[in-house]
Amino acid sequence: MDRQTSTSGDDRLSTEDRQWRRLLPGQRSRLMVFDVVARSSTCIFETEDFVIEAPNWTPDGQWLVFNCDGLLYRTAPEEDSQPRVVFTGAVTDSNNDHVISADGRFLYLSSQDGHLYEVPLEGGEARRVTGPDDGLEARYLHGISPDGGTLVHIGRRQKNGTAAFNIYAVRVDDGATRQLTDSDRPHDGVEYSPDGRWLYFNSERGAERPRHSQLFRMRTDGTGVEQLTSDERVNWFPHPAPDGSALVYLSYPPGVQGHPANERVLLRVADADGQNARDAVELLGGQGTLNVNSWAPDSRRFAYVDYPREGT
């Protein structure tokens, strides 16, 4: 994996100076593609050296984009392909929350400084989208509107003395921000449906016990909330397919809290309303596996990352 990048002379720490998640002894990161029709997976790239996370599929179908140690990489969705770094200017601390505009021109990412940035997909200097006047301590990006004009993210702010995680929308051109939910119960993983009519997300807003996350959707103005799953498992990160026919999501065993790494998880595929869920893949993973939308443009395949370990 080509890990060369340019420096900008600012005061950000280099990727070597930061503490990034590491693989366990005997563990690998594998970038995988699952074919929903054939019900089979193909390994695109694997490494025993680094944790890779959160693939996106570009709208033209030519590239998969993922993060590793603060940098973004892209690789062809073909076996034995070699990833190359995407230059993101001064932002060298990207996390696993990043999306691509529908026209394929821009990559939007979350930095460890808590702000959201725009970068040309071909690489270039980063432009900060969010500002300090929205009252948020941090922002976690998950979705972009079909017209490319609005990002949706999870914002963290203090509410009644504790951190609250709610859904916000921010305009790409001027950073104007709207709060769409106002709850003490955490929200995460918000993204648009392909037609722009719905926002899909996971939340504990309907939970009878702490940390029991389920899937929801609502209108883009925050009204009309519908609960899509209601089961014993802990469900995260609903991702609508480009044709609007299905969802894929990450499902933890009952009792798991949050979305930790290195758990035995399921990737489940369901109808767009959450019905008729069926198991697609069982794997060792969780955090980093399916944090962002990774459907191919054909709505037949999606990408994910697993982390197999010798002896497990």
Side-chain angles (χ1 to χ4, degrees):
M1 204 161 65
D2 178 2
R3 297 174 64 81
Q4 297 298 314
T5 187
S6 300
T7 58
S8 64
D10 72 358
D11 59 357
R12 291 176 180 270
L13 294 174
S14 71
T15 56
E16 290 78 12
D17 294 325
R18 295 184 178 275
Q19 296 299 313
W20 302 102
R21 177 180 151 206
R22 292 290 172 243
L23 294 169
L24 300 173
Q27 192 171 37
R28 293 171 290 157
S29 295
R30 299 194 305 178
L31 177 60
M32 308 290 289
V33 169
F34 182 77
D35 187 308
V36 175
V37 176
R39 297 192 61 79
S40 62
S41 293
T42 301
C43 181
I44 302 301
F45 172 76
E46 64 180 304
T47 176
E48 298 177 352
D49 299 319
F50 310 107
V51 172
I52 66 174
E53 298 181 304
N56 302 120
W57 212 308
T58 58
D60 61 8
Q62 294 187 23
W63 304 101
L64 291 168
V65 176
F66 62 87
N67 64 280
C68 173
D69 288 4
L71 303 179
L72 277 297
Y73 292 81
R74 70 178 189 179
T75 191
E78 302 167 354
E79 293 183 67
D80 301 320
S81 61
Q82 288 301 307
R84 303 282 295 184
V85 72
V86 177
F87 176 61
T88 53
V91 181
T92 58
D93 59 354
S94 302
N95 59 30
N96 52 28
D97 300 327
H98 40 81
V99 298
I100 299 171
S101 61
D103 61 9
R105 295 177 56 207
F106 294 105
L107 175 66
Y108 294 89
L109 53 90
S110 302
S111 166
Q112 297 292 78
D113 70 3
H115 285 283
L116 310 183
Y117 291 83
E118 175 191 83
V119 179
L121 185 58
E122 295 299 317
E125 294 296 334
R127 179 184 71 86
R128 198 170 83 177
V129 175
T130 50
D133 56 353
D134 58 10
L136 299 175
E137 299 171 338
R139 304 148 196 85
Y140 308 95
L141 177 63
H142 284 278
I144 184 169
S145 60
D147 65 6
T150 304
L151 304 177
V152 283
H153 65 86
I154 302 303
R156 186 185 76 208
R157 72 190 311 169
Q158 293 300 309
K159 181 181 173 75
N160 301 324
T162 59
F165 298 85
N166 279 290
I167 296 173
Y168 295 79
V170 56
R171 288 208 309 244
V172 169
D173 57 356
D174 62 7
T177 298
R178 292 180 295 123
Q179 184 172 351
L180 300 179
T181 63
D182 186 10
S183 173
D184 295 329
R185 301 288 185 94
H187 298 69
D188 212 328
V190 60
E191 64 182 73
Y192 282 89
S193 61
D195 61 10
R197 297 174 57 208
W198 295 96
L199 293 174
Y200 284 79
F201 59 97
N202 62 274
S203 178
E204 299 171 33
R205 62 190 296 148
E208 296 182 357
R209 62 179 187 269
R211 313 306 292 272
H212 189 203
S213 178
Q214 295 294 307
L215 307 185
F216 295 81
R217 68 180 179 183
M218 66 183 181
R219 297 299 185 181
T220 57
D221 62 359
T223 64
V225 177
E226 299 178 4
Q227 185 164 343
L228 304 182
T229 62
S230 181
D231 57 62
E232 288 300 306
R233 298 187 65 85
V234 179
N235 300 317
W236 281 74
F237 300 140
H239 303 306
D243 65 3
S245 65
L247 302 173
V248 63
Y249 63 93
L250 177 67
S251 185
Y252 285 94
V256 171
Q257 297 193 1
H259 56 104
N262 300 320
E263 297 281 346
R264 297 303 307 183
V265 298
L266 297 174
L267 304 184
R268 310 197 79 194
V269 176
D271 297 343
D273 60 2
Q275 300 301 302
N276 301 313
R278 54 270 189 201
D279 299 347
V281 185
E282 182 178 0
L283 58 94
L284 184 66
Q287 175 70 295
T289 292
L290 199 77
N291 291 54
V292 292
N293 196 304
S294 62
W295 282 99
D298 60 12
S299 297
R300 171 173 170 160
R301 298 165 294 162
F302 61 83
Y304 64 95
V305 180
D306 68 3
Y307 305 93
R309 191 181 185 192
E310 293 178 4
T312 61

